[in-house]
């Protein structure tokens, strides 16, 4: 009799301070505590996402969530909608900064902190996004009718 061993499916879990000593935790609790990473915009839970800070090219989200990267809540083990909480819009030196938290619909666990910026530099609109769930991206669009960067040389 050949018995096949089935692999036990494990649910995602939050990574704690002990797992990554270079990260600073907001709590020493073993239960899915949000972490703060040096250089990141705020709270995060790597156990809730498939890939941390995926590259999104030029896609900068002002609102919403990148659900393809969401594997489920590491705290309640449910995969449901992601809510947006604590949305703040600030203007500082001509730069608009939008921040908010992605949270689990069921247990309100903080999945990630989203930061989006918009500014006008010279003749270009500059956009950036940094979020554990949604990823990192930058974009620059000319405010002129014809983008000088896209013009082909005449000779």
């Amino acid at each position: 009799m050949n018995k096949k061993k089935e692999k036990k499916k494990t649910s995602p879990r939050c990574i704690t301070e002990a797992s990554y000593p270079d990260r600073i935790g907001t709590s020493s609790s073993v239960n899915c505590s949000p972490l703060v990473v040096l250089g990141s915009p705020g709270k995060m839970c790597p156990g809730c996402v498939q890939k941390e800070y995926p590259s999104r090219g030029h896609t900068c989200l002002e609102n919403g969530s990148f659900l393809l990267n969401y594997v489920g809540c590491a705290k309640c083990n449910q995969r449901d909608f992601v809510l947006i909480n604590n949305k703040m819009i600030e203007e500082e030196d001509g730069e608009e900064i939008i921040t908010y938290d992605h949270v689990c619909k069921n247990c309100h666990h903080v999945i990630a902190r989203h930061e989006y910026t918009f500014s006008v530099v010279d003749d270009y609109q500059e956009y950036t996004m940094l979020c554990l769930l949604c990823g990192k991206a930058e974009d620059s669009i000319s405010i002129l009718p014809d983008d000088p960067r896209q013009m082909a040389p005449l000779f």
Side-chain angles (χ1 to χ4, degrees), residues 34-102:
L35 300 173
V36 177
V37 173
L38 297 173
S40 77
K43 300 173 188 174
M44 60 172 232
C45 180
C48 296
V49 299
Q50 187 173 27
K51 183 176 180 183
E52 295 180 34
Y53 301 101
S55 177
R56 298 292 304 281
H58 299 288
T59 304
C60 297
L61 303 175
E62 182 178 340
N63 55 38
S65 304
F66 182 46
L67 295 179
L68 289 176
N69 193 34
Y70 180 57
V71 294
C73 180
K75 188 173 181 183
C76 70
N77 296 319
Q78 299 290 315
R79 187 174 194 281
D80 210 335
F81 292 108
V82 174
L83 302 177
I84 293 174
N85 276 355
N86 304 324
K87 188 169 184 175
M88 293 178 48
I89 301 172
E90 300 174 26
E91 281 205 34
E92 191 175 291
D93 297 328
E95 182 177 60
E96 182 180 72
I97 302 168
I98 299 174
T99 58
Y100 56 87
D101 294 331
H102 294 285

Side-chain angles (χ1 to χ4, degrees), residues 12-150:
R13 62 181 183 80
C14 196
I15 297 173
T16 61
E17 287 176 329
S19 304
Y20 289 89
D22 60 325
R23 296 181 180 180
I24 300 170
T26 57
S27 169
S28 60
S29 169
V30 180
N31 294 334
C32 206
S33 301
L35 300 173
V36 177
V37 173
L38 297 173
S40 77
K43 300 173 188 174
M44 60 172 232
C45 180
C48 296
V49 299
Q50 187 173 27
K51 183 176 180 183
E52 295 180 34
Y53 301 101
S55 177
R56 298 292 304 281
H58 299 288
T59 304
C60 297
L61 303 175
E62 182 178 340
N63 55 38
S65 304
F66 182 46
L67 295 179
L68 289 176
N69 193 34
Y70 180 57
V71 294
C73 180
K75 188 173 181 183
C76 70
N77 296 319
Q78 299 290 315
R79 187 174 194 281
D80 210 335
F81 292 108
V82 174
L83 302 177
I84 293 174
N85 276 355
N86 304 324
K87 188 169 184 175
M88 293 178 48
I89 301 172
E90 300 174 26
E91 281 205 34
E92 191 175 291
D93 297 328
E95 182 177 60
E96 182 180 72
I97 302 168
I98 299 174
T99 58
Y100 56 87
D101 294 331
H102 294 285
V103 297
C104 173
K105 175 186 169 193
N106 299 306
C107 68
H108 299 284
H109 168 70
V110 177
I111 298 160
R113 180 90 174 147
H114 189 102
E115 184 178 285
Y116 167 88
T117 62
F118 168 78
S119 61
V120 177
V121 178
D122 297 327
D123 292 334
Y124 296 92
Q125 294 176 333
E126 303 284 334
Y127 303 88
T128 64
M129 174 183 73
L130 183 63
C131 176
L132 178 81
L133 175 65
C134 300
K136 56 186 172 188
E138 293 181 346
D139 199 9
S140 179
I141 301 171
S142 175
I143 59 175
L144 301 173
D146 294 314
D147 188 343
R149 297 175 299 189
Q150 303 299 324

